[in-house]
Amino acid sequence: MQLQPRDTGWIEVVCGSMFSGKTEELIRRVRLARIARQKTVIFKPRVDDRYAERQIVSHDDQRMDSIPVVHAEEILERVGDDIDVVGIDEAQFFGIDLVAVCENLANRGKRVIVAGLDQDYRGRPFEPIPSLLSVAEFVTKNLAVCVKCGNPANRSQRITGSTARIVVGAAEAYEARCRRCFNTEPDDPSEGIDD
Ligand code: ADP
Ligand code: MG
Ligand code: ZN
């Protein structure tokens, strides 16, 4: 019995709501890989410049250097043969193209660690994470703490008025909420998963 696959790449997904510790977990896994003398690189979407342009930053202010990219395909061009571990944060901003990119990297023998939101602000499945969960070898779903009642929280409540699917923000724009305390938008009574 071995703890990790040998002589092959694989995909790990770390998902959950805002504040659930996805970035912290990504940083922890990459830090341990570095201690094991693995060569690592982290990518983030350029659109996410909330805290730093060239770092991923957790809500608890843990930081790690990263390369900002606009399109998922750029990740492929920037990962050389020498890289062992590829980290990708805020996967939801890359869209569905990220699935093929992660598969390609894993097929090239890389360990790929992807962190991202699994639901949008209305509680609907948010690609590419649902598809990545299907093709990944390892999946981790984190929960935050509901700011209203303290229950485990799996939803990200947007507390601004915007109805755009992507609004980059943190504590000023979103709250972690549990199922009971989460409100769907008043203009979206269906609560369905279809667009
Ligand atoms: P994510 O990347 O999932 O948004 P981070 O890894 O950036 O999450 O931040 C997780 C940290 O956020 C926690 O360790 C904690 O210090 C902080 N935090 C702030 N509010 C909450 C909350 N409501 N629930 C859980 N953690 C929270
Ligand atoms: Mg994060
Ligand atoms: Zn609650």
Side-chain angles (χ1 to χ4, degrees):
M1 164 80 180
Q2 57 188 65
L3 292 176
Q4 291 190 325
R6 194 182 302 154
D7 301 327
T8 180
W10 68 90
I11 299 172
E12 302 170 24
V13 177
V14 180
C15 69
S17 66
M18 296 267 301
F19 304 100
S20 66
K22 302 181 300 295
T23 300
E24 277 177 3
E25 181 61 20
L26 174 60
I27 288 173
R28 190 183 75 90
R29 292 185 190 185
V30 171
R31 191 192 313 124
L32 294 188
R34 288 179 184 172
I35 291 170
R37 297 196 178 82
Q38 304 259 288
K39 195 147 193 309
T40 67
V41 61
I42 299 177
F43 295 95
K44 67 178 235 175
R46 192 179 288 280
V47 62
D48 175 26
D49 56 1
R50 278 173 295 175
Y51 308 105
E53 209 177 304
R54 300 192 63 85
Q55 288 178 319
I56 59 167
V57 184
S58 78
H59 291 110
D60 209 22
D61 207 35
Q62 293 185 45
R63 291 163 184 263
M64 209 171 248
D65 285 347
S66 66
I67 300 174
V69 292
V70 176
H71 301 294
E73 289 76 15
E74 286 178 63
I75 295 174
L76 288 181
E77 298 158 16
R78 288 166 175 267
V79 174
D81 289 342
D82 56 327
I83 296 291
D84 303 300
V85 180
V86 180
I88 302 168
D89 201 14
E90 304 290 358
Q92 70 280 353
F93 293 141
F94 285 115
I96 198 71
D97 292 347
L98 188 65
V99 179
V101 168
C102 291
E103 291 259 62
N104 183 308
L105 291 169
N107 291 342
R108 278 165 60 193
K110 315 297 184 195
R111 174 186 177 194
V112 184
I113 312 171
V114 195
L117 293 170
D118 50 1
Q119 297 173 34
D120 68 9
Y121 76 103
R122 286 176 167 162
R124 297 176 303 193
F126 198 176
E127 293 291 356
I129 291 293
S131 294
L132 282 165
L133 289 171
S134 301
V135 299
E137 277 79 359
F138 303 99
V139 301
T140 302
K141 178 148 177 163
N142 287 347
L143 291 148
V145 177
C146 175
V147 297
K148 293 286 180 195
C149 75
N151 269 319
N154 71 336
R155 307 265 163 102
S156 308
Q157 181 80 53
R158 187 178 288 173
I159 51 180
T160 65
S162 171
T163 56
R165 198 171 200 198
I166 291 181
V167 172
V168 181
E172 81 293 350
Y174 295 96
E175 283 178 359
R177 299 264 187 105
C178 73
R179 180 183 293 280
R180 207 184 50 172
C181 299
F182 178 78
N183 298 317
T184 52
E185 299 297 304
D187 62 354
D188 181 40
S190 67
E191 295 178 37
I193 60 168
D194 297 326
D195 271 311

